[in-house]
């Protein structure tokens, strides 16, 4: 099966649209030729084989019915042709009603009211005929499309919407021309308009980056239609309506482009601020990567960029949900350095209208998660002892600052324990440094298993560890160290063949002044020396 690259396929599609219009400009006298149905049928067959979501299925079928109606006219089967075209209008009206553009149609309504008044006045001057019904139906579709038109002119939708909105303008201009002339069935013009509708529906559903191509194509369709139908002998008032339609279309395109750029710039500034906040790395100390903290940070900042975001879930080793789950969701997989992959689910009240902003924000969130994991891995190399896996001395200033802040704000005690393995030099001399390393790793592992999430520990020296126990009194800390001592005695005898013990000095309390933890470090060190003097393998605590 022949496969065409996406960029080349898009180029072929746009080239077909511009080719149909250019041929009409080169041969304006042949627009009523039935052969112009062939390129239209080619486009519509390709359109028929493309998948369409439920949001635009009715509009897709409507375009197909319109095209079949024109083919029926070409075959001189006018009654079936009118039926098919009326059914197409009905489906388009239903589709426009289903769109979720909830906005006041202030500016679009202001531009539309003179057009509506002019079309109604012109129709009243025309003897009643079935052909005069179609401009009224075009007006009806434009009324239903006013919220979508307003959202587009405000820059809150993709630029691809310009194609089918321009198609409605061009359809009204062409139907007005046919209602007031004796040269009906501008087959080339309808081929151009229906092709624009087909591309517009595809662009509404496509998740791709914005470009100026839809705006350029919309202006081209509008100007081609105005030029091609102007060859008919039109009454003066209809000529004025054509001019106003062209003006309204060009003004809407320029206004939408301007507002789209302003909104994009504003979103970029908001996004840039949020990204800098999420990537704030002023705290240089090493901390374990906490998925709950990462989820809170992401969710709070992403809501400033996408107000439709109602929930965020990170699922890796742990599952964290912020906000509320909704039926509308988007799932992504993030590969994290040094950790299992994380599945990220975004929950929305409604899907954001600007798909480029949605994609940019989701990509930014994935980057922030990857950045956090990468930063964690880099910090681990700087602030983690490679032998025991606990923090090293470089991390001590940040850990001290963190516990001082917690204790002073919440009024909870912090207990500092300074632990030293007994006769560690003798272990190295008798059993070798490899066994000494195993004794250190075993001790660190047993201590870490007794610590809670809010606690921390640092390898302070070659055989010393500093333990921080939050919301824990010195008496409670002494009980914890007794349990660790008992387990170390059993495990060391089983795994190393000899008993490993340690001495501990304890000090702590509630931080009231900066530097209290520094004073307690000195006190714990003195108590540790006292424990060694008293025969080792014991715990001494005090203030």
């Amino acid at each position: 099966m022949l496969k065409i690259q996406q960029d080349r396929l898009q180029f072929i599609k746009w080239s077909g649209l511009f080719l149909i219009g250019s041929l009409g400009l080169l041969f304006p006298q042949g627009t009523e030729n039935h052969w112009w149905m062939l390129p239209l049928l080619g486009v519509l067959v390709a359109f028929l084989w493309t998948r369409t979501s439920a949001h635009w299925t009715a509009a897709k079928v409507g375009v197909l019915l319109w095209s079949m109606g024109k083919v029926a006219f070409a075959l001189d089967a006018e009654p079936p042709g009118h039926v098919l075209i009326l059914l197409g209008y009905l489906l388009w009206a239903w589709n426009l009603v289903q769109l979720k553009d909830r906005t006041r149609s202030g500016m679009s309504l202001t531009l539309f009211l003179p057009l509506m008044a002019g079309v109604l006045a012109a129709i009243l001057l025309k003897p009643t005929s079935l052909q005069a019904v179609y401009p009224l139906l075009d007006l009806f579709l434009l009324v239903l499309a006013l919220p979508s038109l307003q959202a587009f002119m405000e820059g809150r939708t993709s630029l691809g919407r310009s194609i089918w909105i321009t198609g409605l303008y061009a359809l009204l201009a062409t139907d007005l021309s046919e209602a007031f002339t004796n040269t009906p069935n501008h087959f080339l013009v309808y081929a151009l308009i229906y092709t624009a509708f087909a591309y517009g529906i595809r662009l509404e559903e496509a998740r791709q980056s914005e470009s100026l191509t839809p705006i350029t194509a919309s202006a081209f369709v509008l100007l081609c239609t105005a030029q091609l139908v102007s060859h008919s002998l039109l009454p003066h008032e209809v000529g004025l309506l054509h001019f106003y339609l062209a003006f309204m279309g060009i003004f809407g395109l320029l206004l939408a482009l301007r507002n789209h750029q302003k909104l994009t710039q504003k979103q970029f500034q908001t996004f840039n601020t949020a990204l800098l906040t999420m990537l704030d790395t002023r705290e240089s100390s090493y901390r374990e990567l906490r998925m709950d903290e990462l989820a809170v940070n992401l969710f709070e900042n992403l809501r400033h960029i996408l107000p439709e975001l109602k929930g965020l879930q990170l699922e890796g080793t742990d599952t964290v949900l912020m906000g509320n789950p909704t039926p509308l969701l988007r799932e992504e997989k993030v590969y994290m350095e040094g950790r299992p992959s994380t599945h990220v689910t975004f929950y929305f009240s409604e899907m954001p209208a600007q798909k480029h902003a949605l994609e940019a924000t989701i990509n930014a969130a994935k980057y922030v998660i990857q950045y956090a994991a990468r930063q964690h891995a880099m910090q681990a190399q700087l602030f983690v002892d490679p032998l025991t896996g606990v923090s090293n001395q470089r991390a001590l200033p940040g850990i001290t600052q963190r516990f001082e802040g917690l204790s002073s704000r919440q009024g909870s005690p912090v207990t500092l324990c300074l632990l030293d393995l007994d006769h560690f030099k003798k272990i190295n001399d008798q059993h070798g440094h490899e066994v000494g390393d195993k004794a250190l790793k075993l001790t660190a592992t047993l201590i870490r298993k007794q610590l809670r999430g809010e606690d921390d520990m640092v390898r302070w020296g070659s055989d010393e560890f500093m333990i921080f126990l939050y919301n824990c009194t010195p008496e409670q800390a002494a009980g914890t160290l007794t349990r660790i001592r008992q387990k170390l005695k059993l495990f060391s005898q089983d795994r190393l063949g000899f008993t490993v013990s340690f001495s501990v000095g304890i000090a702590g309390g509630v931080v009231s002044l900066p530097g209290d933890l520094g004073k307690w470090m000195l006190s714990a060190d003195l108590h540790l020396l006292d424990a060694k003097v008293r025969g080792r393998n014991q715990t001494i605590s005090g203030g």
Side-chain angles (χ1 to χ4, degrees):
M1 182 178 178
L2 180 62
K3 292 185 178 180
I4 304 177
Q5 294 181 356
Q6 186 67 21
D7 292 342
R8 187 171 297 179
L9 185 61
Q10 292 296 330
F11 175 76
I12 294 173
K13 287 180 178 180
W14 290 118
S15 298
L17 181 69
F18 284 107
L19 179 62
I20 294 174
S22 299
L23 289 174
L25 294 176
L26 291 174
F27 306 102
Q29 301 303 324
T31 58
E32 297 85 15
N33 196 307
H34 295 174
W35 289 105
W36 290 118
M37 289 288 97
L38 293 179
L40 173 62
L41 290 175
V43 171
L44 294 175
V45 168
F47 183 43
L48 182 64
W49 283 99
T50 57
R51 293 183 178 180
T52 308
S53 68
H55 295 90
W56 287 94
T57 299
K60 175 181 176 179
V61 177
V63 173
L64 295 174
L65 290 176
W66 281 341
S67 305
M68 293 168 60
K70 289 302 174 183
V71 172
F73 285 159
L75 299 175
D76 294 328
E78 291 194 6
H82 287 300
V83 171
L84 290 170
I85 290 178
L86 291 175
L87 287 176
Y89 277 104
L90 182 62
L91 289 175
W92 259 91
W94 185 86
N95 207 119
L96 291 174
V97 170
Q98 301 304 312
L99 293 181
K100 301 295 184 180
D101 294 311
R102 300 286 186 259
T103 182
R104 294 183 178 180
S105 308
M107 184 178 299
S108 60
L109 183 61
T110 302
L111 292 172
F112 178 75
L113 286 177
L115 175 66
M116 181 175 66
V119 171
L120 292 177
I123 294 297
L124 290 177
L125 298 177
K126 171 74 177 177
T128 303
S129 68
L130 185 59
Q131 204 67 34
V133 173
Y134 292 125
L136 297 178
L137 293 176
D138 297 332
L139 273 181
F140 178 62
L141 291 186
L142 279 171
V143 170
L144 296 179
L146 283 180
S148 300
L149 176 60
Q150 181 71 27
F152 170 69
M153 290 195 299
E154 290 176 357
R156 295 189 291 105
T157 66
S158 68
L159 295 178
R161 176 165 293 188
S162 62
I163 294 290
W164 68 262
I165 289 178
T166 300
L168 290 177
Y169 291 152
L171 189 62
L172 175 58
T174 308
D175 286 339
L176 274 174
S177 175
E178 291 200 349
F180 284 86
T181 62
N182 295 320
T183 55
N185 296 327
H186 294 80
F187 290 117
L188 182 141
V189 181
Y190 283 113
L192 184 66
I193 293 172
Y194 296 160
T195 303
F197 277 125
Y199 288 172
I201 293 173
R202 292 298 301 153
L203 287 176
E204 280 280 0
E205 297 190 315
R207 291 180 174 178
Q208 58 186 17
S209 59
E210 297 285 359
S211 68
L212 289 178
T213 306
I215 294 291
T216 306
S218 300
F220 179 78
V221 169
L222 200 61
L223 294 175
C224 276
T225 303
Q227 176 66 20
L228 292 173
V229 300
S230 66
H231 289 280
S232 305
L233 297 176
L234 297 174
H236 178 67
E237 61 274 12
V238 178
L240 290 178
L241 286 175
H242 278 183
F243 172 79
Y244 186 76
L245 270 170
F247 164 77
M248 183 177 174
I250 297 297
F251 175 77
L253 293 176
L254 293 176
L255 184 63
L257 184 61
R258 171 181 172 271
N259 289 334
H260 188 275
Q261 290 176 337
K262 289 177 62 177
L263 187 60
T264 301
Q265 184 178 12
K266 182 179 179 180
Q267 287 179 335
F268 173 77
Q269 292 173 347
T270 306
F271 165 75
N272 191 45
T273 302
L275 185 60
L276 290 176
T277 303
M278 288 186 283
L279 297 180
D280 190 2
T281 57
R282 288 174 293 178
E283 184 179 5
S284 60
S285 63
Y286 171 76
R287 291 187 62 188
E288 187 68 23
L289 181 61
R290 298 279 299 274
M291 297 301 290
D292 54 347
E293 295 180 358
L294 181 60
V296 170
N297 195 7
L298 274 174
F299 184 61
E300 292 300 323
N301 285 282
L302 291 178
R303 286 198 301 177
H304 292 297
I305 308 173
L306 294 176
E308 299 90 348
L309 183 68
K310 298 302 178 184
L312 176 70
Q313 178 174 292
L314 303 183
E315 184 177 357
T317 53
D318 301 316
T319 299
V320 181
L321 174 64
M322 298 301 302
N324 300 309
T326 62
L328 291 176
L329 56 89
R330 173 81 175 270
E331 294 180 338
E332 296 288 337
K333 187 175 183 179
V334 182
Y335 297 95
M336 302 176 66
E337 185 174 340
R339 297 175 63 91
S341 298
T342 297
H343 293 270
V344 187
T345 306
F346 302 85
Y347 296 99
F348 300 96
S349 58
E350 59 181 355
M351 295 307 293
Q354 291 187 317
K355 294 183 176 63
H356 70 288
L358 172 64
E359 296 301 321
T361 305
I362 288 178
N363 289 333
K366 292 167 62 177
Y367 173 78
V368 169
I369 296 172
Q370 291 175 330
Y371 177 87
R374 191 179 303 116
Q375 185 190 43
H376 175 266
M378 293 175 61
Q379 284 186 332
Q381 297 177 0
L382 293 174
F383 298 106
V384 174
D385 175 53
L387 176 64
T388 61
V390 303
S391 301
N392 59 22
Q393 290 188 23
R394 292 193 188 97
L396 185 60
I399 293 174
T400 303
Q401 182 180 3
R402 176 160 58 94
F403 279 104
E404 280 189 342
L406 282 173
S407 180
S408 61
R409 287 195 305 270
Q410 300 181 5
S412 300
V414 177
T415 297
L416 190 148
C417 310
L418 195 57
L419 180 150
D420 183 271
L421 293 187
D422 295 332
H423 306 294
F424 184 67
K425 185 177 183 302
K426 184 178 179 180
I427 294 174
N428 281 334
D429 292 341
Q430 291 184 357
H431 303 281
H433 288 280
E434 184 176 351
V435 175
D437 290 346
K438 290 182 179 179
L440 286 170
K441 292 170 66 175
L442 179 61
T443 304
T445 300
L446 292 175
I447 294 172
R448 290 177 68 180
K449 288 184 177 180
Q450 294 296 314
L451 299 185
R452 302 157 300 172
E454 60 268 27
D455 301 329
D456 213 332
M457 67 180 294
V458 176
R459 186 181 178 188
W460 179 242
S462 63
D463 59 342
E464 289 183 328
F465 295 95
M466 189 176 294
I467 307 169
F468 295 84
L469 301 175
Y470 182 66
N471 198 17
C472 178
T473 64
E475 293 77 16
Q476 293 170 329
T480 300
L481 289 165
T482 299
R483 292 192 296 271
I484 295 173
R485 181 179 284 111
Q486 293 170 349
K487 290 187 177 183
L488 181 60
K489 180 180 179 181
L490 294 173
F491 279 93
S492 61
Q493 184 64 46
D494 179 59
R495 299 183 181 183
L496 304 177
F498 57 89
T499 300
V500 176
S501 62
F502 56 78
S503 303
V504 184
I506 298 177
V510 177
V511 174
S512 57
L513 296 172
D516 279 349
L517 270 180
K519 297 177 183 178
W520 295 336
M521 287 181 189
L522 294 176
S523 298
D525 194 25
L526 292 175
H527 295 318
L528 174 60
L529 292 175
D530 191 17
K532 290 181 178 181
V533 170
R534 295 187 184 187
R536 303 179 188 274
N537 195 24
Q538 56 187 285
T539 301
I540 303 295
S541 64

